Amino acid sequence: MTEIVRARAAEVGRALGAGHLALSDVVAEALARGIAPLDTDPVLVEMLEASVHANVTNIVHILTNDIPLAHLQPPTAAVEYALRLAQRDIPSNALVRAYHMGQNLVQQRCYRLIADQHLGAAETVELTEYVSTVLYRYIDWITAAVFEVYEDERRRWIGTQGTVLSSTVHNLLAAPEAGAATFERETGYRLDRVHRAIILWLTERASLELADLDRVARRVFAGIGSAAPALIAPVDASTLWAWVPLADRARGVDAVAALRTASLPEGVRMAFGDAAPGTAGFCRSHEQSRAAFTVAHLPDSPTGQVTGFGDRGIALAAMLERDIEHTRPWVREVLGDLAEDSPSAASLRETLAVFLATGDSHVRTAERLSLHRNSVKYRIDKALATVGPDHDRLDVGLALTACEFLGPMVLIAR
């Protein structure tokens, strides 16, 4: 291959690098939406985004600087992502498909950049073949590397205590009625009870390990009126799914209060669903706990160390986040400039949200926000003028809740 072709490939690499952040976002979003198992929760999506960014960066460097594959190491983010997929029992073909889909998207971008060089037909073909070969070899190399990591971790994870239990739980959640009898036989956990599903996880600030998290969980569950031992299943190296069978007296507010006041170590967080009976309740409470878990992971979420599905705004925020593609333009249509990512807009949104929540009371809004009534009136007038008179108050309230939990960066900037 001539030096001229390498130089032209380097131009492609530099142009690719100039927009690699936006390209990485496009690729990650396409993979999450196109391959169902990769979009199961925000932690996996965040790790997918980091893996895609690292791989696109590698491709940029290879094209720009003609770096041999032998000089590369698999990106840490890509390795960690493969490990997490193995721990979550997500099929390896999802990982392989992701790399091939990503290759196609990056390749299409490279072809457009080649066209921008306005070369002759022969030169275009030669450069296209070279860039295609570079991309193919990189994807072939990185796929083999992360697949080996995945397989090694899968064998190790299957051999760890509790992983068989995790698999049994997954089977029940996938087919509740068909798998109930097998589930009870293999776990010893009865489904004819009232269940509260709970998720505990370790953040980057935690100095604990999975075994420590298990002990924390059992201590917390002992204080909420359980009728029998909880079912605790590790789903990856930092996350536990759990179900607590509740005595009748522990179904209501007292149990929720006990969860909220539980003493959790630094770096440990918890999300929980409502109490519900039977097999359907086992699954529904878990679905709710995962919704609360999702909202707790949103970048601008105001949630604390413990998040319940029944908390104000959590269920709504989870539903709006699930259809973020349509939520984004709708919020903008309802709130207009009030949805902007700025301190002044945030202040107006907060004041208007409290005003609506207090029954349009300037006095109670001023008391709650510790503001003078004149300041409240000024803000409300400005906020309502920005929104305009054509939108229903309910729509405005829902859009404000979306901004509070999902944040303008998620709703508007992306």
Side-chain angles (χ1 to χ4, degrees), residues 16-29 52-53 56 109:
L16 192 69
H20 77 286
L21 292 177
L23 176 61
S24 297
D25 287 345
V26 169
V27 172
E29 186 169 351
V52 169
H53 178 265
V56 171
R109 176 60 179 157

Side-chain angles (χ1 to χ4, degrees), residues 188-229:
Y189 183 95
R190 285 171 43 196
L191 292 169
D192 60 343
R193 291 168 165 161
V194 174
H195 318 277
R196 186 182 300 280
I198 301 171
I199 298 176
L200 289 101
W201 69 97
L202 301 172
T203 69
E204 293 180 354
R205 299 176 60 186
S207 59
L208 306 179
E209 296 182 351
L210 193 61
D212 302 310
L213 187 61
D214 184 278
R215 286 190 286 272
V216 170
R218 295 182 190 280
R219 173 177 54 78
V220 170
F221 300 160
I224 64 172
S226 57

Side-chain angles (χ1 to χ4, degrees), residues 389-403:
D390 298 331
H391 288 292
D392 182 82
R393 290 294 183 92
L394 176 60
D395 285 349
V396 173
L398 294 177
L400 289 171
T401 300
C403 276

Side-chain angles (χ1 to χ4, degrees), residues 36-59:
L38 304 187
D39 191 24
T40 54
D41 70 47
V43 174
L44 284 182
V45 172
E46 184 178 333
M47 295 186 75
L48 170 63
E49 291 170 349
S51 177
V52 169
H53 178 265
N55 280 300
V56 171
T57 300
N58 263 1
I59 290 170

Side-chain angles (χ1 to χ4, degrees), residues 166-316:
S166 178
S167 179
T168 304
V169 166
H170 280 291
N171 291 338
L172 177 68
L173 294 173
E177 297 307 323
T182 301
F183 173 86
E184 288 190 329
R185 184 173 63 252
E186 294 184 359
T187 65
Y189 183 95
R190 285 171 43 196
L191 292 169
D192 60 343
R193 291 168 165 161
V194 174
H195 318 277
R196 186 182 300 280
I198 301 171
I199 298 176
L200 289 101
W201 69 97
L202 301 172
T203 69
E204 293 180 354
R205 299 176 60 186
S207 59
L208 306 179
E209 296 182 351
L210 193 61
D212 302 310
L213 187 61
D214 184 278
R215 286 190 286 272
V216 170
R218 295 182 190 280
R219 173 177 54 78
V220 170
F221 300 160
I224 64 172
S226 57
L231 178 71
I232 301 177
V235 292
D236 60 42
S238 62
T239 311
L240 294 176
W241 290 352
W243 288 261
V244 180
L246 299 175
D248 288 341
R249 61 182 173 80
R251 293 185 60 174
V253 177
D254 290 345
V256 172
L259 287 171
R260 295 200 183 289
T261 57
S263 176
L264 298 177
E266 182 178 10
V268 174
R269 297 190 67 184
M270 179 166 61
F272 61 90
D274 296 337
T279 303
F282 180 96
C283 297
R284 176 55 183 159
S285 186
H286 176 65
E287 183 181 323
Q288 293 173 339
S289 70
R290 293 190 70 177
F293 173 83
T294 295
V295 175
H297 273 84
L298 294 171
D300 296 310
S301 176
T303 53
Q305 199 171 12
V306 178
T307 305
F309 181 77
D311 294 355
R312 184 196 66 82
I314 296 297
L316 174 63

Side-chain angles (χ1 to χ4, degrees), residues 107-171:
Q107 200 159 261
Q108 295 302 316
R109 176 60 179 157
C110 287
Y111 290 164
R112 290 193 292 272
L113 294 173
I114 290 172
D116 291 343
Q117 294 194 17
H118 303 293
L119 303 172
E123 290 85 355
T124 297
V125 169
E126 190 176 27
L127 179 56
T128 300
E129 289 179 347
Y130 177 76
V131 170
S132 297
T133 299
V134 168
L135 291 176
Y136 165 77
R137 288 176 177 170
Y138 177 77
I139 295 300
D140 183 59
W141 168 78
I142 188 62
T143 303
V146 297
F147 186 77
E148 182 178 359
V149 167
Y150 175 98
E151 289 295 305
D152 288 345
E153 180 64 11
R154 190 72 199 128
R155 285 190 292 269
R156 187 197 71 80
W157 188 252
I158 288 174
T160 61
Q161 184 178 7
T163 306
V164 173
L165 174 61
S166 178
S167 179
T168 304
V169 166
H170 280 291
N171 291 338

Side-chain angles (χ1 to χ4, degrees), residues 65-84:
N65 303 303
D66 192 25
I67 299 173
L69 287 178
H71 294 179
L72 295 177
Q73 293 290 331
T76 300
V79 171
E80 290 298 321
Y81 183 59
L83 291 172
R84 189 61 61 93

